[in-house]
Amino acid sequence: MTTSTVPLPPATQPKQRRIDRRKLTGTLLISPWLIGLLLFKLLPILASLGISFTNFHMLNPGETRFTGLDNYVRLLHDETVGYVVFQTIAMALTSIPLQLVASIGLAAILASRRLKWPGFLRTMFFVPSIIPSVAILFMWFGFLDPNTGWLNRFILEPLGLMGTGGIYSDAARRLVFSLNSLWAIGPGMLIMLGAMQGIPREIEESARVDGAGPFYRLFSITLPMISPAIFFALVINLISAFGGVLLLDRGNVFSGSQSPFDDYISHQMFSQFDLGYATALAWAFLVLVLLVIIFLFSTSRKWVHYEDLGR
Amino acid sequence: MTTSTRDRRPLAPQRLVPLQLWERFGTLLVNVLVIGLLIVYLFPMVYMVATSLMASQQLGDRYAPPYPAQPVTIEYEGKTRKLLQVPFEDGVRELALVKPGPRASEFIDPEHPEEGLIPWQGSWRALPGVYRFHLTWDNFSTLFKSVRFPEMIRNTLLAGLITTVAVLVSSLIVAYGFARYPLPGGNLLFFVLIATLLIPEKVTLIPTYFFFVRVLNWNGSWLPIVLPFFFGSALYIFLLRQNFRSIPIEIEEAAMLDGAGPLRTLFSVVIPQSWPVIITITLLNFFFIWNETRQAALYLSTRRDLVPVSFGIQNFQSLSPTQNLLQASALIILLVPILVLLLTQKHFMRNLVITGTER
């Protein structure tokens, strides 16, 4: 955008030369990032692609040779791949709606002008989102312990429900995963809260005067007006569900339950040392993530209302 | 709802809660709801705090209370005796076990020892003990002896300082370029910047690791972890660019007219107006480094003296400590980020909101 750039003063300079000079300055300014992009993203990604066409194995690197599409053919016939893709998508489909609904609901209550100590309460709800995953893992480990944990003792058994068999059982894993995804809604909640507070007060007041109750106002005014924030939070949650960078990265001890596909890649890398196959899996994962993101952005025009946001 | 209110407000849509009732009790309802939700939300943390203050023997006892407590004992005939809750027909009495037996035992009442031995039928092992509230701080001293905290915290703080300065300086310069200058390819480079956030870590892992460890021989070193911070972080660049674009451009133009170059303008005009977002990024980066375990596991597993705090605690688990020690270790590494958040809450909470919503 030309309106937001600094125009250089001398009118004697030809316009084209001036723009070229400014482009050069801009390129120089962003050059640290460009070098980093080349060194830590583009070259490794291309090298990864190269490795994925070989049988590179940590234990006998001397025997590495070009194997063409063998790894990708193997990937298509690997039953575990189908299973982990299904699991990853299933987990994303349960955790993301859960996170979105929870963060919108929480933001709606925390945005209320009736709230006492709003700053303190918002911070307390944000606390679980910043604590290290190691601490969270230990905590769930103890909380779900079949003998000494509190889940069986104070929640499941008094309710007459069967206890879980500890953190390694399937039920407990699923429970930890959903609870843990609820413990990461802080940034999403703040984004929604900011958007809700950005809604002009007159709109809400006039709806109130017309007799609209709090629930009616939430669904007919607040939600449509914060749709850009919902979209932003959706993208963040989606990226974290697929093992990418989070807005608040707490370190990924939970990667196993966060994204089973990511876990399977780790297994091939660090337990099987089958690096050729592992990089092929990683590349397939990259393509999957990109497809999901492209799909999301292409549908966003239909339901995200940018022009409505008072800016 | 009476007809008169309907007449006054003909446009009123259907509602779940009558409006007047909501106006009156809404405040109470909202606050009770929020505080109730908060208690449920943070409930597992209560478990962590309580367990970290328990002695090991309380963990093994099914009948022990959930709060940190100590079994009550008395001295009787030169021996220490445990107090148990013994049920009788007229109620439960707190008695000291004197002669334990498999089917019947004999007790004494510590309040009235003159009554003599009280016989009771049944297995004393099934009787819940008597506990009194007591905080056990030993877990923390045991932990400080077995884990090298000062060293780990020093490593973490040093890494935090270096990476924060590096990532801030580089991200500020890059973000300024993105915010104020035309770039070759128009918006394409900015889309690339956002796209790099979406790249799964595993795609770049193997080549990067081999380059650092096999080519540069940087195994057991912080260098591979710290180096990428000198080239900016896509997320921080994004947040800074959004912030820069919301600053009016006139002062920068004036500085440029006075002959200041882009870097000089950035550091003397733009940065003084951007402290809130800079502080937010500093905090984000601090939380990131404090929680870091993945890179440390890759590059630092051979050097015990260099590990950062979260990774050190993660290693502590491999010693299979008892549950109370484990919870104490979790509590220690969780306390620091929480304290930092509470101290900076006004700033952090507000600025993350602002930086997040503006497109």
Side-chain angles (χ1 to χ4, degrees):
Chain A
M1 248 193 267
T2 42
T3 46
S4 64
T5 52
V6 188
L8 270 182
T12 49
Q13 223 169 23
K15 202 178 174 190
Q16 190 52 46
R17 247 185 78 197
R18 212 176 70 192
I19 290 174
D20 284 348
R21 247 194 78 192
R22 291 181 49 71
K23 269 190 181 171
L24 182 68
T25 316
T27 312
L28 281 177
L29 285 172
I30 67 163
S31 61
W33 172 72
L34 284 174
I35 296 166
L37 178 73
L38 190 70
L39 284 181
F40 300 115
K41 299 285 176 195
L42 294 183
L43 287 179
I45 288 175
L46 286 177
S48 240
L49 186 64
I51 296 172
S52 75
F53 292 123
T54 67
N55 61 355
F56 188 34
H57 199 283
M58 190 95 106
L59 298 181
N60 41 2
E63 285 175 30
T64 304
R65 63 180 60 83
F66 184 73
T67 55
L69 288 171
D70 278 10
N71 283 325
Y72 291 93
V73 173
R74 181 179 157 196
L75 184 152
L76 289 175
H77 291 97
D78 190 340
E79 279 177 12
T80 319
V81 171
Y83 174 76
V84 290
V85 167
F86 174 75
Q87 286 287 311
T88 305
I89 292 171
M91 279 187 167
L93 287 181
T94 48
S95 73
I96 294 174
L98 197 69
Q99 286 177 316
L100 282 182
V101 170
S103 51
I104 293 173
L106 207 54
I109 306 173
L110 291 176
S112 169
R113 275 182 281 275
R114 297 162 181 274
L115 201 66
K116 302 244 187 296
W117 326 286
F120 173 74
L121 286 171
R122 287 168 196 164
T123 309
M124 288 316 284
F125 276 103
F126 196 79
V127 156
S129 301
I130 54 150
I131 57 185
S133 62
V134 182
I136 296 189
L137 182 73
F138 288 4
M139 194 197 64
W140 289 125
F141 198 76
F143 193 74
L144 298 171
D145 188 281
N147 301 315
T148 61
W150 281 12
L151 182 76
N152 282 355
R153 220 179 125 188
F154 295 110
I155 298 173
L156 292 184
E157 279 173 14
L159 290 176
L161 296 168
M162 254 186 347
T164 68
I167 195 160
Y168 295 112
S169 73
D170 253 14
R173 259 177 95 88
R174 249 176 255 130
L175 191 76
V176 167
F177 175 72
S178 1
L179 291 175
N180 190 51
S181 71
L182 278 183
W183 262 32
I185 61 172
M189 177 197 80
L190 274 193
I191 290 163
M192 310 275 186
L193 189 65
M196 284 180 191
Q197 288 170 334
I199 298 174
R201 204 170 164 173
E202 307 85 66
I203 297 181
E204 216 180 317
E205 281 303 319
S206 62
R208 217 179 157 94
V209 169
D210 284 349
F215 291 101
Y216 187 85
R217 293 202 302 264
L218 176 68
F219 284 104
S220 59
I221 298 168
T222 312
L223 287 189
M225 290 209 71
I226 65 163
S227 56
I230 296 177
F231 181 67
F232 188 53
L234 182 64
V235 173
I236 291 180
N237 290 343
L238 198 80
I239 294 166
S240 70
F242 283 99
V245 179
L246 296 100
L247 188 52
L248 266 170
D249 193 328
R250 58 165 99 228
N252 224 352
V253 174
F254 265 117
S255 69
S257 41
Q258 197 97 314
S259 160
F261 200 122
D262 200 56
D263 192 35
Y264 187 55
I265 300 174
S266 296
H267 170 74
Q268 291 293 341
M269 268 183 199
F270 302 119
S271 308
Q272 305 291 318
F273 304 119
D274 198 345
L275 301 185
Y277 188 47
T279 47
L281 283 171
W283 252 88
F285 194 44
L286 175 68
V287 172
L288 180 73
V289 172
L290 287 180
L291 283 179
V292 173
I293 299 286
I294 289 170
F295 171 76
L296 204 65
F297 273 88
S298 62
T299 59
S300 73
R301 288 196 190 104
K302 295 197 176 99
W303 61 276
V304 182
H305 312 279
Y306 285 112
E307 59 286 325
D308 291 349
L309 201 73
R311 258 182 295 132
Chain B
M1 211 184 285
T2 57
T3 40
S4 65
T5 53
R6 273 184 187 279
D7 291 341
R8 253 192 299 125
R9 293 188 181 128
L11 288 171
Q14 292 290 314
R15 333 176 254 268
L16 279 130
V17 189
L19 200 61
Q20 281 171 335
L21 207 67
W22 171 248
E23 295 294 347
R24 195 167 302 162
F25 296 106
T27 306
L28 182 73
L29 197 74
V30 164
N31 284 290
V32 168
L33 184 70
V34 167
I35 291 169
L37 268 176
L38 185 65
I39 292 170
V40 173
Y41 194 54
L42 298 182
F43 185 63
M45 275 175 149
V46 180
Y47 161 81
M48 183 175 59
V49 175
T51 309
S52 69
L53 294 167
M54 283 178 191
S56 299
Q57 56 179 12
Q58 189 184 350
L59 288 173
D61 187 352
R62 257 197 76 76
Y63 301 109
Y67 53 84
Q70 215 175 26
V72 181
T73 55
I74 57 151
E75 290 287 319
Y76 180 74
E77 288 176 348
K79 273 189 171 174
T80 309
R81 322 258 174 192
K82 224 176 136 185
L83 244 64
L84 297 173
Q85 296 178 34
V86 190
F88 286 96
E89 271 163 24
D90 52 340
V92 177
R93 294 174 72 182
E94 298 186 349
L95 302 175
L97 182 63
V98 179
K99 279 187 189 161
R103 286 199 183 77
S105 306
E106 290 185 340
F107 295 87
I108 192 146
D109 192 333
E111 316 251 300
H112 310 282
E114 69 283 355
E115 269 181 45
L117 294 177
I118 305 164
W120 181 77
Q121 300 289 319
S123 169
W124 65 273
R125 284 178 194 282
L127 292 175
V130 178
Y131 278 88
R132 295 276 182 277
F133 179 76
H134 179 262
L135 299 178
T136 309
W137 297 98
D138 295 357
N139 297 328
F140 292 95
S141 49
T142 313
L143 198 62
F144 274 90
K145 271 176 220 148
S146 50
V147 182
R148 290 188 284 185
F149 270 108
E151 205 173 77
M152 281 167 17
I153 288 176
R154 188 202 64 201
N155 293 337
T156 306
L157 292 184
L158 195 64
L161 187 73
I162 296 171
T163 57
T164 302
V165 172
V167 85
L168 263 180
V169 172
S170 52
S171 298
L172 278 165
I173 294 172
V174 173
Y176 190 60
F178 271 117
R180 295 293 197 226
Y181 283 86
L183 293 168
N187 268 337
L188 181 72
L189 281 173
F190 188 66
F191 283 120
V192 173
L193 178 87
I194 301 301
T196 56
L197 286 171
L198 315 177
I199 297 170
E201 207 176 24
K202 292 288 180 334
V203 184
T204 55
L205 186 73
I206 296 291
T208 316
Y209 178 81
F210 266 78
F211 179 70
F212 282 138
V213 172
R214 293 288 154 90
V215 181
L216 297 176
N217 204 14
W218 280 355
N219 200 14
S221 155
W222 270 94
L223 284 171
I225 304 174
V226 169
L227 188 71
F229 284 85
F230 284 82
F231 299 92
S233 141
L235 179 66
Y236 304 156
I237 293 171
F238 171 70
L239 293 179
L240 284 167
R241 172 192 177 265
Q242 304 309 94
N243 186 268
F244 290 166
R245 287 177 76 109
S246 69
I247 299 175
I249 201 166
E250 287 73 26
I251 314 173
E252 286 164 63
E253 286 175 341
M256 291 280 195
L257 277 175
D258 287 346
L263 285 181
R264 178 109 186 267
T265 313
L266 169 65
F267 283 93
S268 58
V269 178
V270 179
I271 289 180
Q273 298 181 68
S274 310
W275 282 118
V277 69
I278 292 173
I279 293 170
T280 303
I281 288 174
T282 307
L283 288 171
L284 279 174
N285 200 54
F286 168 75
F287 293 139
F288 177 84
I289 293 290
W290 186 268
N291 299 347
E292 205 322 289
T293 54
R294 273 170 296 178
Q295 302 283 314
L298 273 181
Y299 298 105
L300 295 173
S301 48
T302 54
R303 289 287 297 274
R304 282 288 153 119
D305 56 323
L306 287 180
V307 298
V309 72
S310 286
F311 184 59
I313 292 293
Q314 192 181 318
N315 287 338
F316 174 67
Q317 193 203 7
S318 61
L319 307 172
S320 6
T322 50
Q323 207 55 255
N324 48 351
L325 276 178
L326 199 66
Q327 299 305 326
S329 72
L331 187 64
I332 286 181
I333 52 165
L334 163 159
L335 226 47
V336 175
I338 290 184
L339 279 179
V340 170
L341 177 69
L342 289 179
L343 289 176
T344 58
Q345 52 154 312
K346 229 175 172 174
H347 226 94
F348 184 72
M349 301 293 282
R350 201 185 55 216
N351 286 307
L352 204 62
V353 171
I354 294 167
T355 45
T357 43
E358 281 161 21
R359 241 164 64 91

